[in-house]
mmCIF file of all heavy atoms in Angstrom:
data_model
loop_
_atom_site.group_PDB
_atom_site.id
_atom_site.type_symbol
_atom_site.label_atom_id
_atom_site.label_comp_id
_atom_site.label_asym_id
_atom_site.label_seq_id
_atom_site.Cartn_x
_atom_site.Cartn_y
_atom_site.Cartn_z
ATOM 1 N N VAL A 343 -59.957 -135.530 -53.971
ATOM 2 C CA VAL A 343 -60.068 -134.750 -52.741
ATOM 3 C C VAL A 343 -58.679 -134.518 -52.155
ATOM 4 O O VAL A 343 -57.895 -135.459 -52.043
ATOM 5 C CB VAL A 343 -60.929 -135.495 -51.695
ATOM 6 C CG1 VAL A 343 -60.959 -134.714 -50.385
ATOM 7 C CG2 VAL A 343 -62.326 -135.706 -52.216
ATOM 8 N N TYR A 344 -58.370 -133.274 -51.839
ATOM 9 C CA TYR A 344 -57.102 -132.952 -51.171
ATOM 10 C C TYR A 344 -57.389 -132.573 -49.727
ATOM 11 O O TYR A 344 -58.345 -131.863 -49.441
ATOM 12 C CB TYR A 344 -56.414 -131.767 -51.846
ATOM 13 C CG TYR A 344 -56.332 -131.846 -53.348
ATOM 14 C CD1 TYR A 344 -57.033 -130.953 -54.148
ATOM 15 C CD2 TYR A 344 -55.535 -132.815 -53.966
ATOM 16 C CE1 TYR A 344 -56.958 -131.004 -55.526
ATOM 17 C CE2 TYR A 344 -55.456 -132.879 -55.350
ATOM 18 C CZ TYR A 344 -56.169 -131.980 -56.129
ATOM 19 O OH TYR A 344 -56.098 -132.036 -57.491
ATOM 20 N N LYS A 345 -56.517 -133.068 -48.824
ATOM 21 C CA LYS A 345 -56.667 -132.705 -47.410
ATOM 22 C C LYS A 345 -55.308 -132.339 -46.832
ATOM 23 O O LYS A 345 -54.300 -132.973 -47.183
ATOM 24 C CB LYS A 345 -57.226 -133.896 -46.605
ATOM 25 C CG LYS A 345 -58.637 -134.283 -46.962
ATOM 26 C CD LYS A 345 -59.051 -135.559 -46.249
ATOM 27 C CE LYS A 345 -60.468 -135.960 -46.673
ATOM 28 N NZ LYS A 345 -60.763 -137.356 -46.284
ATOM 29 N N VAL A 346 -55.279 -131.360 -45.954
ATOM 30 C CA VAL A 346 -54.041 -131.029 -45.253
ATOM 31 C C VAL A 346 -53.626 -132.263 -44.458
ATOM 32 O O VAL A 346 -54.434 -132.847 -43.732
ATOM 33 C CB VAL A 346 -54.265 -129.821 -44.319
ATOM 34 C CG1 VAL A 346 -53.075 -129.622 -43.394
ATOM 35 C CG2 VAL A 346 -54.538 -128.577 -45.132
ATOM 36 N N ASN A 347 -52.376 -132.679 -44.610
ATOM 37 C CA ASN A 347 -51.956 -133.944 -44.014
ATOM 38 C C ASN A 347 -51.807 -133.861 -42.498
ATOM 39 O O ASN A 347 -52.181 -134.785 -41.782
ATOM 40 C CB ASN A 347 -50.649 -134.401 -44.669
ATOM 41 C CG ASN A 347 -50.298 -135.831 -44.269
ATOM 42 O OD1 ASN A 347 -51.176 -136.693 -44.170
ATOM 43 N ND2 ASN A 347 -49.023 -136.084 -44.024
ATOM 44 N N ASP A 348 -51.275 -132.777 -42.008
ATOM 45 C CA ASP A 348 -50.997 -132.645 -40.579
ATOM 46 C C ASP A 348 -52.304 -132.414 -39.802
ATOM 47 O O ASP A 348 -52.975 -131.400 -39.993
ATOM 48 C CB ASP A 348 -50.037 -131.457 -40.387
ATOM 49 C CG ASP A 348 -49.559 -131.342 -38.947
ATOM 50 O OD1 ASP A 348 -50.339 -131.705 -38.035
ATOM 51 O OD2 ASP A 348 -48.424 -130.895 -38.745
ATOM 52 N N LEU A 349 -52.649 -133.350 -38.929
ATOM 53 C CA LEU A 349 -53.942 -133.242 -38.233
ATOM 54 C C LEU A 349 -53.987 -132.078 -37.253
ATOM 55 O O LEU A 349 -55.051 -131.513 -37.000
ATOM 56 C CB LEU A 349 -54.276 -134.551 -37.513
ATOM 57 C CG LEU A 349 -54.427 -135.778 -38.420
ATOM 58 C CD1 LEU A 349 -54.885 -136.985 -37.607
ATOM 59 C CD2 LEU A 349 -55.411 -135.497 -39.540
ATOM 60 N N ALA A 350 -52.816 -131.709 -36.709
ATOM 61 C CA ALA A 350 -52.796 -130.550 -35.811
ATOM 62 C C ALA A 350 -53.153 -129.285 -36.601
ATOM 63 O O ALA A 350 -53.868 -128.414 -36.105
ATOM 64 C CB ALA A 350 -51.417 -130.415 -35.166
ATOM 65 N N LEU A 351 -52.671 -129.218 -37.835
ATOM 66 C CA LEU A 351 -53.011 -128.065 -38.673
ATOM 67 C C LEU A 351 -54.489 -128.105 -39.061
ATOM 68 O O LEU A 351 -55.163 -127.075 -39.099
ATOM 69 C CB LEU A 351 -52.137 -128.037 -39.934
ATOM 70 C CG LEU A 351 -50.642 -127.790 -39.720
ATOM 71 C CD1 LEU A 351 -49.916 -127.724 -41.058
ATOM 72 C CD2 LEU A 351 -50.405 -126.517 -38.924
ATOM 73 N N GLN A 352 -54.992 -129.300 -39.337
ATOM 74 C CA GLN A 352 -56.426 -129.427 -39.653
ATOM 75 C C GLN A 352 -57.240 -128.823 -38.517
ATOM 76 O O GLN A 352 -58.194 -128.081 -38.744
ATOM 77 C CB GLN A 352 -56.820 -130.901 -39.818
ATOM 78 C CG GLN A 352 -56.446 -131.503 -41.152
ATOM 79 C CD GLN A 352 -57.080 -132.877 -41.365
ATOM 80 O OE1 GLN A 352 -57.940 -133.306 -40.588
ATOM 81 N NE2 GLN A 352 -56.661 -133.563 -42.410
ATOM 82 N N GLU A 353 -56.822 -129.146 -37.302
ATOM 83 C CA GLU A 353 -57.568 -128.642 -36.153
ATOM 84 C C GLU A 353 -57.516 -127.120 -36.077
ATOM 85 O O GLU A 353 -58.509 -126.464 -35.811
ATOM 86 C CB GLU A 353 -56.993 -129.255 -34.875
ATOM 87 C CG GLU A 353 -57.726 -128.793 -33.647
ATOM 88 C CD GLU A 353 -57.885 -129.925 -32.646
ATOM 89 O OE1 GLU A 353 -57.643 -131.092 -33.026
ATOM 90 O OE2 GLU A 353 -58.211 -129.649 -31.504
ATOM 91 N N ARG A 354 -56.329 -126.576 -36.345
ATOM 92 C CA ARG A 354 -56.208 -125.113 -36.309
ATOM 93 C C ARG A 354 -57.070 -124.463 -37.383
ATOM 94 O O ARG A 354 -57.643 -123.405 -37.168
ATOM 95 C CB ARG A 354 -54.753 -124.696 -36.510
ATOM 96 C CG ARG A 354 -53.963 -124.639 -35.219
ATOM 97 C CD ARG A 354 -52.541 -124.181 -35.471
ATOM 98 N NE ARG A 354 -52.456 -122.813 -35.966
ATOM 99 C CZ ARG A 354 -51.339 -122.296 -36.474
ATOM 100 N NH1 ARG A 354 -50.255 -123.030 -36.574
ATOM 101 N NH2 ARG A 354 -51.327 -121.047 -36.895
ATOM 102 N N LEU A 355 -57.125 -125.108 -38.534
ATOM 103 C CA LEU A 355 -57.887 -124.531 -39.643
ATOM 104 C C LEU A 355 -59.383 -124.566 -39.374
ATOM 105 O O LEU A 355 -60.110 -123.641 -39.722
ATOM 106 C CB LEU A 355 -57.562 -125.274 -40.940
ATOM 107 C CG LEU A 355 -56.183 -124.959 -41.511
ATOM 108 C CD1 LEU A 355 -55.710 -126.049 -42.449
ATOM 109 C CD2 LEU A 355 -56.202 -123.613 -42.224
ATOM 110 N N GLY A 356 -59.836 -125.657 -38.766
ATOM 111 C CA GLY A 356 -61.244 -125.728 -38.377
ATOM 112 C C GLY A 356 -62.219 -125.702 -39.542
ATOM 113 O O GLY A 356 -61.894 -126.119 -40.648
ATOM 114 N N PHE A 357 -63.391 -125.170 -39.289
ATOM 115 C CA PHE A 357 -64.486 -125.274 -40.245
ATOM 116 C C PHE A 357 -65.096 -123.940 -40.579
ATOM 117 O O PHE A 357 -65.135 -123.052 -39.745
ATOM 118 C CB PHE A 357 -65.585 -126.177 -39.654
ATOM 119 C CG PHE A 357 -65.082 -127.551 -39.335
ATOM 120 C CD1 PHE A 357 -64.540 -127.826 -38.088
ATOM 121 C CD2 PHE A 357 -65.127 -128.551 -40.284
ATOM 122 C CE1 PHE A 357 -64.056 -129.093 -37.801
ATOM 123 C CE2 PHE A 357 -64.645 -129.811 -40.010
ATOM 124 C CZ PHE A 357 -64.102 -130.090 -38.758
ATOM 125 N N ARG A 358 -65.599 -123.842 -41.797
ATOM 126 C CA ARG A 358 -66.501 -122.755 -42.126
ATOM 127 C C ARG A 358 -67.891 -123.279 -41.809
ATOM 128 O O ARG A 358 -68.020 -124.331 -41.214
ATOM 129 C CB ARG A 358 -66.365 -122.403 -43.604
ATOM 130 C CG ARG A 358 -64.938 -122.062 -43.967
ATOM 131 C CD ARG A 358 -64.924 -121.059 -45.093
ATOM 132 N NE ARG A 358 -65.356 -121.693 -46.326
ATOM 133 C CZ ARG A 358 -64.686 -121.554 -47.478
ATOM 134 N NH1 ARG A 358 -63.585 -120.832 -47.510
ATOM 135 N NH2 ARG A 358 -65.127 -122.124 -48.570
ATOM 136 N N SER A 359 -68.940 -122.557 -42.233
ATOM 137 C CA SER A 359 -70.266 -122.976 -41.772
ATOM 138 C C SER A 359 -70.621 -124.395 -42.199
ATOM 139 O O SER A 359 -71.175 -125.159 -41.428
ATOM 140 C CB SER A 359 -71.329 -121.994 -42.227
ATOM 141 O OG SER A 359 -71.259 -121.822 -43.616
ATOM 142 N N THR A 360 -70.297 -124.803 -43.421
ATOM 143 C CA THR A 360 -70.690 -126.155 -43.833
ATOM 144 C C THR A 360 -69.541 -127.009 -44.351
ATOM 145 O O THR A 360 -69.747 -128.147 -44.706
ATOM 146 C CB THR A 360 -71.749 -126.089 -44.964
ATOM 147 O OG1 THR A 360 -71.176 -125.357 -46.058
ATOM 148 C CG2 THR A 360 -73.010 -125.396 -44.509
ATOM 149 N N THR A 361 -68.341 -126.457 -44.411
ATOM 150 C CA THR A 361 -67.220 -127.221 -44.977
ATOM 151 C C THR A 361 -65.957 -127.040 -44.143
ATOM 152 O O THR A 361 -65.762 -125.982 -43.533
ATOM 153 C CB THR A 361 -66.904 -126.739 -46.411
ATOM 154 O OG1 THR A 361 -66.610 -125.342 -46.360
ATOM 155 C CG2 THR A 361 -68.077 -126.966 -47.352
ATOM 156 N N PRO A 362 -65.110 -128.070 -44.108
ATOM 157 C CA PRO A 362 -63.819 -127.878 -43.434
ATOM 158 C C PRO A 362 -62.920 -126.971 -44.269
ATOM 159 O O PRO A 362 -63.006 -126.979 -45.492
ATOM 160 C CB PRO A 362 -63.234 -129.292 -43.360
ATOM 161 C CG PRO A 362 -63.943 -130.087 -44.393
ATOM 162 C CD PRO A 362 -65.272 -129.426 -44.637
ATOM 163 N N ARG A 363 -62.096 -126.163 -43.612
ATOM 164 C CA ARG A 363 -61.180 -125.297 -44.355
ATOM 165 C C ARG A 363 -60.003 -126.081 -44.909
ATOM 166 O O ARG A 363 -59.315 -125.619 -45.803
ATOM 167 C CB ARG A 363 -60.620 -124.208 -43.418
ATOM 168 C CG ARG A 363 -61.590 -123.099 -43.168
ATOM 169 C CD ARG A 363 -60.882 -121.860 -42.617
ATOM 170 N NE ARG A 363 -61.871 -120.890 -42.177
ATOM 171 C CZ ARG A 363 -62.469 -120.951 -40.996
ATOM 172 N NH1 ARG A 363 -62.130 -121.880 -40.127
ATOM 173 N NH2 ARG A 363 -63.386 -120.081 -40.679
ATOM 174 N N TRP A 364 -59.766 -127.275 -44.340
ATOM 175 C CA TRP A 364 -58.535 -127.999 -44.667
ATOM 176 C C TRP A 364 -58.704 -129.024 -45.786
ATOM 177 O O TRP A 364 -57.808 -129.840 -46.013
ATOM 178 C CB TRP A 364 -57.993 -128.688 -43.407
ATOM 179 C CG TRP A 364 -59.059 -129.317 -42.546
ATOM 180 C CD1 TRP A 364 -59.651 -128.761 -41.452
ATOM 181 C CD2 TRP A 364 -59.657 -130.612 -42.707
ATOM 182 N NE1 TRP A 364 -60.592 -129.614 -40.922
ATOM 183 C CE2 TRP A 364 -60.607 -130.769 -41.674
ATOM 184 C CE3 TRP A 364 -59.481 -131.662 -43.618
ATOM 185 C CZ2 TRP A 364 -61.382 -131.910 -41.519
ATOM 186 C CZ3 TRP A 364 -60.256 -132.804 -43.460
ATOM 187 C CH2 TRP A 364 -61.193 -132.918 -42.423
ATOM 188 N N ALA A 365 -59.838 -129.015 -46.459
ATOM 189 C CA ALA A 365 -60.048 -129.984 -47.544
ATOM 190 C C ALA A 365 -60.803 -129.338 -48.688
ATOM 191 O O ALA A 365 -61.554 -128.375 -48.501
ATOM 192 C CB ALA A 365 -60.824 -131.193 -47.027
ATOM 193 N N ILE A 366 -60.600 -129.880 -49.883
ATOM 194 C CA ILE A 366 -61.337 -129.393 -51.044
ATOM 195 C C ILE A 366 -61.481 -130.533 -52.047
ATOM 196 O O ILE A 366 -60.633 -131.421 -52.109
ATOM 197 C CB ILE A 366 -60.621 -128.170 -51.675
ATOM 198 C CG1 ILE A 366 -61.576 -127.387 -52.597
ATOM 199 C CG2 ILE A 366 -59.357 -128.591 -52.429
ATOM 200 C CD1 ILE A 366 -61.078 -125.994 -52.927
ATOM 201 N N ALA A 367 -62.580 -130.523 -52.777
ATOM 202 C CA ALA A 367 -62.788 -131.547 -53.806
ATOM 203 C C ALA A 367 -62.538 -130.922 -55.167
ATOM 204 O O ALA A 367 -63.175 -129.939 -55.531
ATOM 205 C CB ALA A 367 -64.211 -132.084 -53.729
ATOM 206 N N HIS A 368 -61.610 -131.491 -55.909
ATOM 207 C CA HIS A 368 -61.301 -131.012 -57.255
ATOM 208 C C HIS A 368 -62.108 -131.868 -58.228
ATOM 209 O O HIS A 368 -61.790 -133.025 -58.456
ATOM 210 C CB HIS A 368 -59.794 -131.171 -57.499
ATOM 211 C CG HIS A 368 -59.293 -130.486 -58.724
ATOM 212 N ND1 HIS A 368 -57.970 -130.423 -59.052
ATOM 213 C CD2 HIS A 368 -59.952 -129.821 -59.703
ATOM 214 C CE1 HIS A 368 -57.824 -129.756 -60.182
ATOM 215 N NE2 HIS A 368 -59.011 -129.396 -60.595
ATOM 216 N N LYS A 369 -63.184 -131.293 -58.769
ATOM 217 C CA LYS A 369 -64.128 -132.102 -59.543
ATOM 218 C C LYS A 369 -63.715 -132.235 -61.006
ATOM 219 O O LYS A 369 -63.153 -131.316 -61.590
ATOM 220 C CB LYS A 369 -65.535 -131.458 -59.482
ATOM 221 C CG LYS A 369 -66.105 -131.294 -58.081
ATOM 222 C CD LYS A 369 -66.309 -132.609 -57.362
ATOM 223 C CE LYS A 369 -67.716 -133.155 -57.415
ATOM 224 N NZ LYS A 369 -68.818 -132.297 -57.097
ATOM 225 N N PHE A 370 -64.041 -133.388 -61.588
ATOM 226 C CA PHE A 370 -63.834 -133.573 -63.015
ATOM 227 C C PHE A 370 -64.874 -132.734 -63.759
ATOM 228 O O PHE A 370 -65.952 -132.471 -63.227
ATOM 229 C CB PHE A 370 -64.001 -135.045 -63.400
ATOM 230 C CG PHE A 370 -62.950 -135.928 -62.823
ATOM 231 C CD1 PHE A 370 -63.286 -137.136 -62.217
ATOM 232 C CD2 PHE A 370 -61.606 -135.575 -62.883
ATOM 233 C CE1 PHE A 370 -62.312 -137.955 -61.683
ATOM 234 C CE2 PHE A 370 -60.625 -136.402 -62.351
ATOM 235 C CZ PHE A 370 -60.973 -137.586 -61.748
#
Side-chain angles (χ1 to χ4, degrees):
Chain A
V343 176
Y344 312 113
K345 294 173 182 165
V346 169
N347 190 39
D348 187 328
L349 298 185
L351 294 183
Q352 281 190 9
E353 181 141 347
R354 272 182 65 192
L355 287 159
F357 301 89
R358 304 211 289 228
S359 54
T360 58
T361 58
R363 282 198 190 82
W364 41 264
I366 198 164
H368 191 175
K369 302 298 262 311
F370 294 134

